[in-house]
Amino acid sequence: MTSYLIKGARPLGGDPVDIHITDGRISAIGNSLDATGAEVVEAAGLIALPGLVDLHTHLREPGREDAETVETGSRAAALGGFTAVHAMANTDPVADTAGVVEQVWRLGQEAGLVDVVPVGAVTVGLKGERLAELGAMADSAARVRVFSDDGHCVADPALMRRALEYVKAFDGVVAQHAEEPRLTVGAQMHEGDRSAKLGLTGWPAAAEEAIIARDVLLAEHVGARLHVCHVSTAGSVEILRWAKSRGVQVTAEVTPHHLLLTDACAESYDPVFKVNPPLRTDADVEALRAGLADGTIDAVGTDHAPHAVEDKESEWAQARPGMLGLEQALAVVIETMVEPGRLDWAGVADRMSVRPAAIGRLDGLGIRSQGRPIAPGEPANLVLVDPAARATVDPAALASRSRNSPYAGRELPGRIVATFLRGTATVLDGKATR
Amino acid sequence: MKRHLLEAADLDRDDATLVLDTAAQIDQALAGREVKKLPTLRGRTVVNLFYEDSTRTRISFELAAKRLSADVINFSAKGSSVSKGESLKDTALTLEAMGADAVVVRHSSSGAPHRLANWVRGSVVNAGDGTHEHPTQALLDAYTIRQRLGRVEGVRVAIVGDVLHSRVARSNVGLLHTLGAEVTLVAPPTLLPVGVGSWPAEVSYDLDAVLPKVDVVMMLRVQAERMNASFFPSAREYSRRYGLDARRMGALPDDAIVMHPGPMNRGMEIAAEVADSARSTIVEQVANGVSTRMAVLYLLLGGAPQ
């Protein structure tokens, strides 16, 4: 196994040091390390962060390999600085059995670019009618800990209560797609001034907030863990803040696109900006940034959602919701949080690696260990970022098989120079190694 | 004028006035003539691309293009483009390859004409898209108001009914505001969009309070299926609170007019004796639709090289 000497990187933005990687682990950190035989990575001016962990990725395999595969999505993830991604369950067939989650886990291992951690469906076929075999998925080789019907809300309150309770047996967590379905029939975009003008059916903020409010009360009642996917409204942040102040075991994520973009994007009627939950208002964006800064929102989750060209090059209402996110996630966080001074690099590591790893129970010392400190003896899951670089996003240059990036043509800061997965370089000099 | 007519906001006050003036000139030129045809658009091709059934709008545009001597192709793509198999983009590229100079598009999805405008070189005219806009309806309504009342500026207009789902309402609010009219929207709160407060219009829930203070009352079609989605309790209750019957018509100022974009639900939003009264402009609106659409096609295509 290649040994690396990373020279002059700044861990979490601290003072420059050398980091020596051997046998998949960080073997030494210090100045002027002697590492004979190691491959040298010049890292002057680069920030070193623990490998990023995504709680929310759609890899589309099995079923829509024309939009993304585990391999292409893994490559996009590595190029975005990720060393682990949670693969959402809304594949075809749905990841609601031990067989499907093991297949996804195995495909991830074969690709070998990031740890692909399968998410199991909460209900059979994502239909919201009865529980899938959650325990079988937890006990499988994929060792599922995060369960989600993402794309659909577990809307039935009794079923949601049972799911929250049941997964306690194996320290699992239910990740809720908070969307009251009766309030969002045919919904196309955030309901407000712009939806009124554009004549697109509105998706009210209350449809998200009502479910989050209900679910934090249920989680409190049964003493279970709850994770809220892609929080998008100011009201949701307030409810989460209140719930956390009561000691409810709730965590939440925000997507990069909800940190940066607003419903003004819909005025183009270009469905590349159609996403669920929808892009919201400036006030919501501000509340989300504040929530991520103060820790009310625990993590950035990309909701990377690749779609084939024909599913986006259409009328708005006919297009599928979702946008790419893996390759630009860190850039958007730098733009919206780091450069304005709302989060330092330690904060970025916390929200994009440490806390998401803990939510997914990847933070132990097993072979899937993620989100660990940058310290001798720890697994060498690292990303090197050049914070000074800026680049314009070109969808054609993305590693994802799809092209539905909402950032096309936008200049964003930060360049991922290298990513290491347990000591193996998956990205070097900004390029995937395989 | 912009190249496309996608929404009322594409027309500034000068453009809108030019359309109305041009429609008036066309009416004058054709008045009393046996052959109602002008040679203006000879050799030009206008495609009517209709994804929704709308016989009256399609016929109106077809007649407008034919009276300008354009070649007209009716492309009926009923249902959504997706369910039909061919995407909107592929249809657009097909029309482009056939050399359409203008595409008149009617579609059930809001924004479809905007998408189409990205893919064709010719002019796109929005003939109604989803619950978004129907700008030529607003133009013909403004033309009708001007014809009857002599002006649009300062005229007080009530738009009554299902504003939430109405493309006619959205276009009329925009265009009437551009032309200096004062608009009041009247509807039950369930049929007004969240965000209506940002529109350049007053809002009222009380039709009886508004009627004595307007010069124009424009009734919108209310679809009975809205009842099933709890927008209002019953057709009878809707009619009682927001329908225009003879008694309510009596509350209007003497020279006020009653408009309806059609098709009407007689007995629902408008009583038969109102629709057939001297105040009603409903038949004129149909006739004015042809002249106004002629003006739009003429102005969008007339200046371009053959």
Side-chain angles (χ1 to χ4, degrees):
Chain A
M1 190 169 188
T2 313
S3 142
Y4 291 95
L5 181 66
I6 299 168
K7 292 188 71 169
R10 299 165 54 208
L12 310 185
D15 293 333
V17 292
D18 296 348
I19 303 170
H20 189 201
I21 299 174
T22 46
D23 297 328
R25 290 189 179 271
I26 298 171
S27 50
I29 296 180
N31 291 308
S32 311
L33 291 182
D34 174 33
T36 313
E39 188 174 314
V40 173
V41 178
E42 291 294 346
L46 306 187
I47 308 294
L49 301 173
L52 308 182
V53 177
D54 191 11
L55 280 166
H56 197 139
T57 311
H58 296 277
L59 293 177
R60 301 295 184 222
E61 188 177 3
R64 284 305 298 266
E65 291 83 355
D66 59 322
E68 195 80 288
T69 65
V70 171
E71 185 186 340
T72 58
S74 292
R75 192 168 294 117
L79 285 163
F82 290 90
T83 51
V85 298
H86 287 76
M88 273 298 171
N90 61 339
T91 49
D92 181 16
V94 172
D96 58 2
T97 63
V100 178
V101 293
E102 285 190 350
Q103 180 194 0
V104 172
W105 166 251
R106 184 174 50 72
L107 288 166
Q109 292 292 296
E110 286 169 7
L113 288 157
V114 290
D115 285 346
V116 174
V117 183
V119 173
V122 176
T123 66
V124 175
L126 308 175
K127 290 188 192 316
E129 291 165 357
R130 58 196 174 90
L131 293 181
E133 289 191 347
L134 308 177
M137 291 188 274
D139 294 340
S140 74
R143 285 179 301 164
V144 176
R145 291 295 177 271
V146 180
F147 298 90
S148 182
D149 275 3
D150 181 61
H152 303 269
C153 184
V154 182
D156 178 338
L159 192 61
M160 184 60 182
R161 174 207 166 133
R162 296 299 176 219
L164 287 165
E165 285 179 307
Y166 192 78
V167 300
K168 285 163 69 177
F170 30 87
D171 199 19
V173 63
V174 176
Q176 176 71 294
H177 171 116
E179 175 183 356
E180 164 51 51
R182 289 284 298 138
L183 290 174
T184 55
V185 174
Q188 298 294 328
M189 68 174 292
H190 173 68
E191 184 167 41
D193 291 356
R194 290 197 171 94
S195 63
K197 175 176 173 294
L198 295 173
L200 291 170
T201 306
W203 199 127
E208 173 173 308
E209 293 153 4
I211 292 292
I212 297 177
R214 180 198 80 177
D215 286 355
V216 296
L217 294 174
L218 287 173
E220 178 177 51
H221 181 59
V222 301
R225 286 207 291 147
L226 166 71
H227 179 70
V228 183
C229 295
H230 42 51
V231 170
S232 70
T233 78
S236 297
V237 177
E238 269 188 68
I239 293 164
L240 289 164
R241 199 172 277 129
W242 172 83
K244 286 190 167 191
S245 75
R246 284 169 68 95
V248 178
Q249 298 178 72
V250 60
T251 57
E253 74 195 24
V254 61
T255 70
H257 48 268
H258 286 112
L259 288 172
L260 182 64
L261 307 173
T262 69
D263 62 345
C265 293
E267 287 174 352
S268 66
Y269 286 106
D270 183 344
V272 78
F273 299 112
K274 179 174 171 177
V275 66
N276 190 17
L279 300 174
R280 304 280 185 188
T281 66
D282 287 322
D284 294 305
V285 167
E286 171 51 34
L288 293 169
R289 292 180 185 181
L292 186 64
D294 71 17
T296 301
I297 297 172
D298 301 83
V300 174
T302 66
D303 198 3
H304 177 82
H307 286 297
V309 171
E310 63 272 20
D311 290 327
K312 280 291 191 185
E313 215 166 52
S314 66
E315 303 86 328
W316 180 280
Q318 274 74 31
R320 287 173 179 265
M323 34 182 75
L324 299 183
L326 284 170
E327 293 177 68
Q328 272 68 48
L330 183 57
V332 171
V333 171
I334 294 172
E335 167 110 346
T336 58
M337 303 298 293
V338 178
E339 292 192 340
R342 304 185 84 153
L343 212 53
D344 59 13
W345 291 105
V348 173
D350 183 68
R351 308 297 196 273
M352 296 189 77
S353 179
V354 177
R355 285 216 230 177
I359 292 164
R361 295 297 189 251
L362 303 176
D363 54 337
L365 287 169
I367 61 155
R368 290 204 298 192
S369 185
Q370 294 278 350
R372 302 284 306 172
I374 300 175
E378 293 288 349
N381 295 317
L382 290 172
V383 53
L384 302 177
V385 192
D386 180 356
R390 296 187 73 86
T392 301
V393 179
D394 172 13
L398 297 175
S400 172
R401 185 161 281 187
S402 293
R403 296 289 170 259
N404 55 308
S405 171
Y407 313 115
R410 186 184 281 266
E411 191 188 274
L412 290 172
R415 173 174 177 262
I416 310 292
V417 176
T419 309
F420 295 90
L421 174 64
R422 282 185 292 281
T424 298
T426 54
V427 174
L428 274 181
D429 197 21
K431 295 182 181 64
T433 56
R434 48 191 287 202
Chain B
M1 291 266 286
K2 292 187 175 181
R3 182 155 59 98
H4 307 295
L5 178 58
L6 304 178
E7 53 195 30
D10 287 335
L11 301 167
D12 62 20
R13 192 167 181 147
D14 288 347
D15 291 337
T17 306
L18 178 63
V19 174
L20 302 189
D21 291 347
T22 305
Q25 285 166 11
I26 288 170
D27 272 346
Q28 270 171 9
L30 293 178
R33 276 173 57 164
E34 205 161 290
V35 179
K36 293 193 185 302
K37 202 152 180 159
L38 300 171
T40 321
L41 295 184
R42 186 174 291 154
R44 317 299 294 278
T45 304
V46 175
V47 176
N48 286 327
L49 178 60
F50 274 56
Y51 284 87
E52 256 186 358
D53 280 334
S54 174
T55 308
R56 54 173 61 217
T57 304
R58 186 182 57 71
I59 289 174
S60 180
F61 269 106
E62 184 172 353
L63 203 53
K66 284 183 170 166
R67 285 189 177 166
L68 291 168
S69 305
D71 295 321
V72 181
I73 295 167
N74 289 312
F75 190 118
S76 170
K78 201 183 153 190
S80 83
S81 58
V82 173
S83 71
K84 186 166 176 283
E86 184 176 69
S87 74
L88 180 65
K89 185 177 183 182
D90 286 332
T91 304
L93 297 179
T94 302
L95 300 177
E96 181 69 20
M98 290 176 178
D101 297 296
V103 180
V104 176
V105 60
R106 170 76 152 232
H107 201 294
S108 58
S109 294
S110 300
H114 285 73
R115 299 291 286 156
L116 198 65
N118 293 325
W119 298 321
V120 298
R121 259 172 299 176
S123 291
V124 175
V125 179
N126 181 0
D129 62 328
T131 53
H132 177 225
E133 289 225 15
H134 192 0
T136 59
Q137 177 72 43
L139 284 165
L140 77 87
D141 288 341
Y143 185 71
T144 305
I145 291 169
R146 199 172 77 166
Q147 204 174 46
R148 275 281 189 120
L149 303 180
R151 68 201 161 92
V152 179
E153 172 144 31
V155 167
R156 300 164 299 169
V157 183
I159 301 176
V160 185
D162 185 359
V163 175
L164 177 63
H165 299 97
S166 175
R167 49 197 173 209
V168 174
R170 280 176 183 74
S171 285
N172 262 307
V173 167
L175 187 75
L176 289 170
H177 175 70
T178 298
L179 291 171
E182 295 165 22
V183 179
T184 303
L185 300 168
V186 185
T190 46
L191 291 176
L192 290 164
V194 167
V196 73
S198 65
W199 293 11
E202 298 292 311
V203 172
S204 171
Y205 309 136
D206 184 352
L207 181 56
D208 289 315
V210 170
L211 288 177
K213 294 183 274 183
V214 294
D215 307 302
V216 177
V217 56
M218 189 182 290
M219 303 306 295
L220 300 173
R221 177 179 169 81
V222 175
Q223 290 173 326
E225 61 258 35
R226 304 294 178 214
M227 215 167 64
N228 303 326
S230 295
F231 287 103
F232 47 86
S234 69
R236 189 168 40 183
E237 174 157 329
Y238 180 86
S239 186
R240 202 182 298 132
R241 293 178 64 85
Y242 295 100
L244 189 61
D245 57 12
R247 179 187 64 81
R248 281 204 170 107
M249 186 169 68
L252 286 166
D254 287 343
D255 54 353
I257 58 173
V258 174
M259 306 180 75
H260 194 298
M264 288 181 282
N265 295 308
R266 285 176 187 250
M268 173 79 171
E269 72 267 5
I270 191 164
E273 61 258 56
V274 176
D276 300 331
S277 74
R279 291 180 188 273
S280 165
T281 64
I282 294 163
V283 178
E284 288 152 68
Q285 285 171 269
V286 175
N288 290 339
V290 178
S291 354
T292 318
R293 286 168 180 133
M294 286 174 77
V296 166
L297 290 172
Y298 169 77
L299 291 168
L300 289 179
L301 296 183
Q306 298 245 334

